[in-house]
Amino acid sequence: MENDNLLEIRNLFVEFHTDDAVVHAVNGVDLTLKKGETLGLVGETGAGKTTIARTILGILPKPQGEVTGGEVVFEGEDILKLPERGMRKIRGDKIAMIFQDPMTALNPIDRVGDQIAEAISLHNQIGKSDVRLRAMDMLEMVGIPRERYNEFPHQFSGGMKQRVVIAMALACNPQLLLADEPTTALDVTIQAQVLNLMRDLKKKLNTSVILITHDLGVVASICETVAVIYAGEIVEYGTAEQIFDHATHPYTRGLFDSLPSIDDKDVKLKPIKGLMPDPTNLNPGCKFYDRCEYATAACKDTHPEALDIGEGHLVRCLHIDNGEGGAK
Amino acid sequence: MSALLEVQNLKKYFKTPGGLLHAVDDVNFTIEEGKTLGVVGESGCGKSTLGRTILHLLDPTDGKILFEGEDITAPSRKKLSEMRAKMQIIFQDPFSSLNPRMSVSETIMEPLQLHGGMGKEEMIEQTKALMDTVGLAERFWGSYPHELDGGRRQRIGIARAIALRPRFIVCDEPVSALDVSIQAQILNLLVELQEKQKLTYMFVTHDLSVVKYISDDILVMYLGQVVEKAGSHELFAHTLHPYSKALLSAIPVPNIHAKNVAIPMKGEITSPINPKPGCRFYARCPYAEERCQKPQTLEEVLPNHFVSCCRVRELNDLA
Amino acid sequence: MKKKKNRGHSAEVWYRLKKNKLAVVGMIVIIIVILVAVLAPVLAPYSYDKQDLMHTFAKPSAEHLLGTDKFGRDNLSRLIYGARSSLSMGLGATVLSCIFGLTLGAIAGYFGGVVDNIIMRFCDLFSCVPYLLMCVVISAILGPSLMNAIIAMSLAHIPGSARLLRASILSVRDMEYIEAAKAIDSPHAHTILKHVIPNAIAPSIVSITMGIGGCILSGATLSFVGLGAQPPLAEWGCMLSEGRSLMRDHMELVLLPGIAIMITVLAFNLFGDGLRDALDPRLKN
């Protein structure tokens, strides 16, 4: 068995307990990530993507959030079993996370350079001046002049704030970077700049990245593998080429059909009917059942397994025929 | 077809401690009945302010607004009231645009109560019909915004906007806050309503793919000014202004074979407070020259295609 | 599919409130105190000023369950009637100050500009003087009596409640649904009543509830220094004042009204706290 897998998530189940009911946020997720690979985790609101990231980092809200099954194996060790002390060593150092909103991710009363320096000094026993130098190097690496070390977050624009956040995350050269919708809050032109930056950096530092997003365009521009998540399950997984050129699962295809395209002329939008299912009351069979135009009676009760339809392209659907999910 | 809305030299400035903020600066356009004008730009370009100024949610600083041929730039109280029934708005945020204390039916009925002059029975009938038109099941009659998802909340906003049978609606980023699959549902609904009720839209968005889908004509705005104005197909076939080109190239396309190299823009957006005369894109334009610092004008460069750039012809090999 | 009941905002708040044990305890005590106050003539065995000079300082017995005071008046009856006076001070002052304070705050917050400035500067003037001092001064000017104490307290309280509602309105004013109301040509009064106030009132409701407790306390204080309820009126603060000099030998004359004040104010505070938590929108999701 090859084991240059940096991260392996096996059969992960996560629940949230509220006063009224139990939310089944993650339902049996399997994922692997190699060193230097960029995986796009695509899904809509409530699909469970952020929950997975939080679980990896061990920052699920307690006591509501609970891992009820599965393993998260990082560098050969199940980090779900690590005590908080052990996780603290990993967070920021080996696994780092970038959150969605750059406006609130930075401490407004701390200098920008100091915030990066803090990330460094928490995990490295080196002298203060060395820490400062390294922080300045990080600033330059993300395209911000070193002289701006002493400035405060409010003096930076949204795009630049996000660069600082990236600098903080990469300051300790982590093996794994979790990026939760890192460009969603940014303008399109700034998004392009930040994506370019991320592409360069990950190549330079050979960082593995899990990019969480709902934007298929962003996935196409930066990810090598893609996992499509719906109602806490991976419904389709494959290389970028497999997903974009041969999307199979009806949900994935529905996502592509919902997008108004820049290229095609006047193609009518084909939205997916209905809404995301209630996570407190999920269908035991196929979770996409009530929105799928190809659903049959079997789909309601039978839970589809993830089938390999060729070269590692996995699809979770009962009706696959000639590479068409839901097949007639 | 006659122009339903005509805007001439519209300006909206705000006084700030730092100086005068030129949010909307000298904007001109007309929209014909039944058509959609897309207004595209990034944050700070003034597109939302433009929509609100036209509806008098903000008062214009200068310029003229003509609706149905009448000058409504400084309307009387009575005129404003009439106008409000004919010109409506759909907001971006499906949560903050609804009063959390009012149920679905109360929110939709409110404009009817304030304007309609209808009896109770009739208002209830009308509200039911509106809910049906926008695809809200009757069982949501007594629901509250926090119980519903973004898509349904946006439908409430749409029902409220069409309650008084307006002729013109400003759609301020109506799908930006929604999930992809819901976006498509709402966009289809908006298109359907336009056909059925002969509505005229001004569709404000930052998303170029959405604006292409729904607009007949497009205005590209940057820092309060219109930099390019053309028909929808024309704009995408011949993108002329450097900013429009940069904007278009920056969109990540969901296609791994697309050879889209983002045209680089230097630096960050400049301030709209006390702007210097001349092209506002000057500081970031890869083709900037001395003469760009002189005031630019919107010229017709191709048939019905206007651009505000002194170098547009040479950069695009045009006569 | 489990059917979710449509819970309006108020119903949601009530539901959350009920789950808070302490708040429920507070609520029950408040209801009891109010009932006692309202049914005083029925519940109290004697009138509050019925003297019995033959049986002064009597120990608790079947005829006088909590004993008597220095004039032979039944302590239990005075305690029960005291609920009336104290509660009327607390509620009266709060209600009065609300009517004016909230109106001023609403106008200042909604219209802003010059109007806001004028109203707030008036409030600033009043706020310069410490609350209790203000009450004392106004009471002294008007003359010592229960009614005047209520007026004094409400006047002193107006700036605080105005400012609170104004602050709340300032944050609601910028919400898009207010803009939406403008877009459908809602007249100012309608917007304020239907959209602004219901969404801005939450902090004020909490403040009002806590304020009742506070006014009971201030009322007792005023009576204690002789500016509020006048003897022979049974008011807990008055009783405290009368019992003070006799504290060494007759502790109960101070303890009984003291505990009554404490329990009542505590109940209002617990309820107010619970209400604040129940109204907190962050707990909504």
Side-chain angles (χ1 to χ4, degrees):
Chain A
M1 182 163 44
E2 52 182 274
N3 230 337
D4 51 351
N5 282 338
L6 179 69
L7 179 75
E8 273 180 45
I9 301 178
R10 300 188 194 129
N11 210 22
L12 184 67
F13 282 86
V14 179
E15 285 174 2
F16 285 98
H17 299 274
T18 67
D19 289 327
D20 295 323
V22 174
V23 175
H24 300 278
V26 180
N27 304 303
V29 163
D30 293 300
L31 278 178
T32 54
L33 190 70
K34 290 193 179 40
K35 193 131 182 48
E37 181 185 325
T38 303
L39 168 75
L41 191 55
V42 181
E44 299 176 295
T45 316
K49 353 184 255 299
T50 304
T51 308
I52 294 177
R54 292 220 171 105
T55 308
I56 297 174
L57 213 49
I59 56 172
L60 279 177
K62 302 227 168 43
Q64 303 97 299
E66 193 191 338
V67 175
T68 51
E71 309 173 308
V72 173
V73 179
F74 178 71
E75 290 187 323
E77 191 186 0
D78 183 359
I79 55 178
L80 288 179
K81 298 200 168 49
L82 274 183
E84 177 61 15
R85 230 184 24 237
M87 274 316 291
R88 267 208 291 269
K89 289 216 192 83
I90 295 184
R91 262 181 233 134
D93 190 33
K94 301 218 160 138
I95 306 182
M97 185 156 174
I98 305 174
F99 296 90
Q100 176 174 346
D101 189 0
M103 307 302 162
T104 55
L106 293 173
N107 186 340
I109 61 171
D110 264 346
R111 293 179 205 275
V112 143
D114 288 335
Q115 297 192 44
I116 302 175
E118 186 185 7
I120 299 173
S121 56
L122 275 174
H123 296 281
N124 294 288
Q125 302 290 357
I126 54 180
K128 257 220 291 225
S129 48
D130 283 328
V131 167
R132 205 186 153 87
L133 274 174
R134 245 206 248 184
M136 286 199 193
D137 288 337
M138 286 311 301
L139 275 177
E140 272 194 349
M141 201 191 290
V142 298
I144 297 177
R146 321 161 72 83
E147 300 80 49
R148 299 193 74 174
Y149 182 102
N150 281 325
E151 288 184 25
F152 290 91
H154 69 263
Q155 295 170 278
F156 288 75
S157 68
M160 303 209 87
K161 278 198 220 125
Q162 196 63 314
R163 287 169 189 265
V164 172
V165 169
I166 292 174
M168 275 168 70
L170 296 176
C172 297
N173 204 350
Q175 267 84 313
L176 173 62
L177 178 66
L178 303 167
D180 192 353
E181 310 252 20
T183 56
T184 304
L186 303 174
D187 276 329
V188 156
T189 48
I190 308 296
Q191 176 176 271
Q193 289 176 352
V194 172
L195 284 176
N196 273 345
L197 174 68
M198 285 178 71
R199 248 195 305 262
D200 288 337
L201 286 178
K202 76 168 180 120
K203 232 185 278 174
K204 200 152 131 197
L205 304 171
N206 203 25
T207 322
S208 307
V209 181
I210 295 183
L211 180 72
I212 296 172
T213 180
H214 62 272
D215 188 336
L216 286 165
V218 167
V219 172
S221 70
I222 198 175
C223 301
E224 289 124 31
T225 44
V226 183
V228 179
I229 183 168
Y230 184 80
E233 282 183 329
I234 307 285
V235 296
E236 189 159 0
Y237 171 84
T239 63
E241 199 182 314
Q242 286 167 341
I243 301 289
F244 281 88
D245 292 340
H246 308 287
T248 308
H249 193 281
Y251 176 62
T252 317
R253 287 177 25 226
L255 281 182
F256 279 106
D257 287 339
S258 307
L259 297 174
S261 131
I262 284 276
D263 309 311
D264 294 331
K265 280 186 194 217
D266 301 324
V267 174
K268 191 151 164 78
L269 286 183
K270 214 168 138 265
I272 306 175
K273 64 174 189 219
L275 293 169
M276 280 279 234
D278 181 357
T280 61
N281 193 2
L282 291 170
N283 183 33
C286 176
K287 299 193 174 33
F288 190 58
Y289 165 72
D290 53 351
R291 302 177 74 188
C292 184
E293 52 179 324
Y294 310 105
T296 63
C299 300
K300 184 162 185 218
D301 305 309
T302 322
H303 184 240
E305 291 300 313
L307 294 172
D308 187 334
I309 60 171
E311 291 167 26
H313 184 174
L314 301 172
V315 182
R316 200 182 284 274
C317 180
L318 292 177
H319 307 293
I320 302 180
D321 186 31
N322 292 331
E324 287 248 319
K328 288 146 215 155
Chain B
M1 284 220 238
S2 56
L4 183 68
L5 179 73
E6 195 176 330
V7 167
Q8 296 170 357
N9 304 102
L10 190 63
K11 294 191 175 79
K12 176 65 191 161
Y13 296 167
F14 293 99
K15 288 201 192 77
T16 70
L20 210 54
L21 199 160
H22 294 228
V24 174
D25 221 340
D26 212 17
V27 171
N28 290 280
F29 63 83
T30 51
I31 314 180
E32 284 174 7
E33 198 184 338
K35 299 272 188 196
T36 301
L37 175 72
V39 180
V40 167
E42 296 174 299
S43 33
C45 71
K47 53 192 197 299
S48 290
T49 311
L50 178 63
R52 284 172 163 79
T53 309
I54 292 174
L55 293 181
H56 276 288
L57 290 173
L58 295 169
D59 291 318
T61 307
D62 200 7
K64 256 198 187 168
I65 308 168
L66 294 139
F67 183 71
E68 292 179 323
E70 270 187 86
D71 188 337
I72 56 160
T73 319
S76 64
R77 189 75 197 65
K78 185 162 165 288
K79 190 92 208 126
L80 190 63
S81 190
E82 281 171 29
M83 209 192 93
R84 288 256 160 86
K86 295 191 195 158
M87 300 169 84
Q88 272 299 316
I89 180 167
I90 299 170
F91 293 93
Q92 172 177 359
D93 186 345
F95 197 52
S96 67
S97 60
L98 299 174
N99 183 340
R101 306 300 201 103
M102 284 169 69
S103 68
V104 171
S105 55
E106 285 173 335
T107 302
I108 300 176
M109 232 195 283
E110 200 187 4
L112 299 174
Q113 282 170 335
L114 290 171
H115 273 264
M118 302 178 191
K120 189 84 190 276
E121 287 294 316
E122 209 187 326
M123 280 199 290
I124 294 180
E125 277 313 305
Q126 258 288 75
T127 307
K128 284 200 187 139
L130 283 164
M131 282 175 72
D132 190 44
T133 309
V134 301
L136 273 171
E138 211 178 301
R139 69 176 193 274
F140 295 116
W141 182 264
S143 298
Y144 287 83
H146 68 269
E147 294 173 320
L148 304 173
D149 67 285
R152 289 210 179 98
R153 288 189 219 134
Q154 201 60 311
R155 289 174 198 268
I156 302 174
I158 295 174
R160 176 177 59 191
I162 61 172
L164 296 174
R165 289 188 233 266
R167 299 192 66 199
F168 172 69
I169 302 186
V170 172
C171 306
D172 191 359
E173 307 240 33
V175 296
S176 306
L178 303 175
D179 274 326
V180 164
S181 55
I182 312 291
Q183 273 192 27
Q185 292 177 4
I186 302 295
L187 280 176
N188 276 354
L189 172 65
L190 288 173
V191 169
E192 195 188 306
L193 283 173
Q194 181 173 40
E195 279 165 20
K196 279 211 208 128
Q197 301 192 1
K198 308 257 183 304
L199 292 167
T200 306
Y201 288 151
M202 182 170 129
F203 199 94
V204 174
T205 181
H206 64 273
D207 191 335
L208 275 171
S209 44
V210 167
V211 89
K212 183 182 190 205
Y213 179 73
I214 202 166
S215 314
D216 297 300
D217 299 289
I218 299 180
L219 283 182
V220 180
M221 288 185 74
Y222 186 79
L223 277 182
Q225 293 179 324
V226 176
V227 297
E228 191 160 359
K229 181 162 76 160
S232 185
H233 288 297
E234 169 65 15
L235 182 70
F236 286 89
H238 305 117
T239 318
L240 299 177
H241 193 282
Y243 175 66
S244 312
K245 286 199 230 229
L247 195 57
L248 199 60
S249 72
I251 304 172
V253 178
N255 179 353
I256 52 172
H257 304 293
K259 295 268 175 281
N260 228 343
V261 181
I263 293 171
M265 289 199 302
K266 298 178 286 180
E268 298 281 322
I269 198 165
T270 47
S271 170
I273 298 178
N274 296 337
K276 297 198 201 71
C279 180
R280 292 194 189 155
F281 192 52
Y282 175 73
R284 307 177 74 195
C285 186
Y287 312 107
E289 274 180 3
E290 266 304 307
R291 52 182 164 137
C292 299
Q293 291 182 309
K294 294 211 198 68
Q296 309 286 311
T297 46
L298 206 59
E299 281 177 46
E300 192 166 2
V301 172
L302 288 175
N304 213 19
H305 189 154
F306 300 77
V307 182
S308 171
C309 173
C310 57
R311 296 196 64 193
V312 63
R313 289 194 168 80
E314 63 187 85
L315 291 173
N316 293 286
D317 293 324
L318 296 171
Chain C
M1 176 92 113
K2 186 168 70 160
K3 192 136 188 281
K4 244 200 187 161
K5 256 195 85 183
N6 273 332
R7 269 198 232 125
H9 195 86
S10 315
E12 273 278 344
V13 171
W14 179 241
Y15 175 75
R16 279 202 288 270
L17 194 59
K18 276 193 296 184
K19 287 202 279 194
N20 184 337
K21 301 285 185 335
L22 285 176
V24 173
V25 167
M27 247 195 308
I28 294 177
V29 172
I30 293 173
I31 293 176
I32 293 176
V33 173
I34 293 179
L35 282 175
V36 165
V38 167
L39 299 171
V42 174
L43 289 169
Y46 302 86
S47 164
Y48 63 85
D49 57 356
K50 184 162 190 319
Q51 300 189 357
D52 184 358
L53 294 164
M54 298 300 292
H55 297 100
T56 62
F57 299 118
K59 288 270 176 285
S61 66
E63 291 153 342
H64 296 282
L65 285 172
L66 290 176
T68 62
D69 68 355
K70 74 176 178 201
F71 291 122
R73 297 178 294 200
D74 180 31
N75 281 335
L76 179 61
S77 303
R78 283 184 63 80
L79 213 55
I80 290 176
Y81 274 99
R84 239 187 207 194
S85 311
S86 300
L87 217 53
S88 64
M89 282 184 118
L91 285 170
T94 309
V95 166
L96 261 182
S97 82
C98 267
I99 296 176
F100 294 104
L102 292 184
T103 313
L104 283 175
I107 297 175
Y110 183 76
F111 289 104
V114 176
V115 173
D116 181 15
N117 239 332
I118 297 177
I119 296 179
M120 280 301 108
R121 294 310 64 91
F122 257 116
C123 289
D124 285 342
L125 271 174
F126 270 80
S127 306
C128 288
V129 185
Y131 175 73
L132 216 48
L133 193 57
M134 176 73 82
C135 291
V136 166
V137 167
I138 300 178
S139 268
I141 295 175
L142 293 173
S145 87
L146 185 80
M147 198 56 217
N148 290 341
I150 293 179
I151 294 175
M153 286 194 290
S154 37
L155 277 176
H157 208 70
I158 288 177
S161 58
R163 193 168 282 128
L164 188 60
L165 184 63
R166 172 185 174 271
S168 198
I169 286 184
L170 285 180
S171 64
V172 167
R173 205 177 55 172
D174 293 326
M175 296 300 279
E176 268 184 344
Y177 57 82
I178 304 293
E179 235 187 328
K182 198 173 172 189
I184 54 172
D185 205 35
S186 165
H188 287 306
H190 184 259
T191 306
I192 297 181
L193 286 173
K194 194 91 206 244
H195 294 286
V196 176
I197 301 253
N199 288 295
I201 200 83
S204 296
I205 291 183
V206 176
S207 162
I208 291 170
T209 333
M210 308 281 244
I212 297 177
C215 282
I216 292 177
L217 217 47
S218 315
T221 312
L222 285 174
S223 307
F224 187 80
V225 299
L227 284 172
Q230 298 299 304
L233 210 57
E235 197 270 332
W236 293 336
C238 253
M239 289 166 72
L240 267 176
S241 174
E242 288 175 8
R244 191 169 59 96
S245 45
L246 305 161
M247 209 164 68
R248 191 122 49 93
D249 302 315
H250 303 281
M251 210 32 163
E252 73 276 7
L253 294 175
V254 162
L255 273 181
L256 290 173
I259 291 176
I261 294 176
M262 195 182 84
I263 292 179
T264 312
V265 174
L266 187 63
F268 274 102
N269 280 3
L270 284 176
F271 178 63
D273 256 342
L275 198 57
R276 185 199 294 124
D277 286 342
L279 285 168
D280 191 334
R282 264 173 296 158
L283 298 177
K284 219 174 260 180
N285 287 317

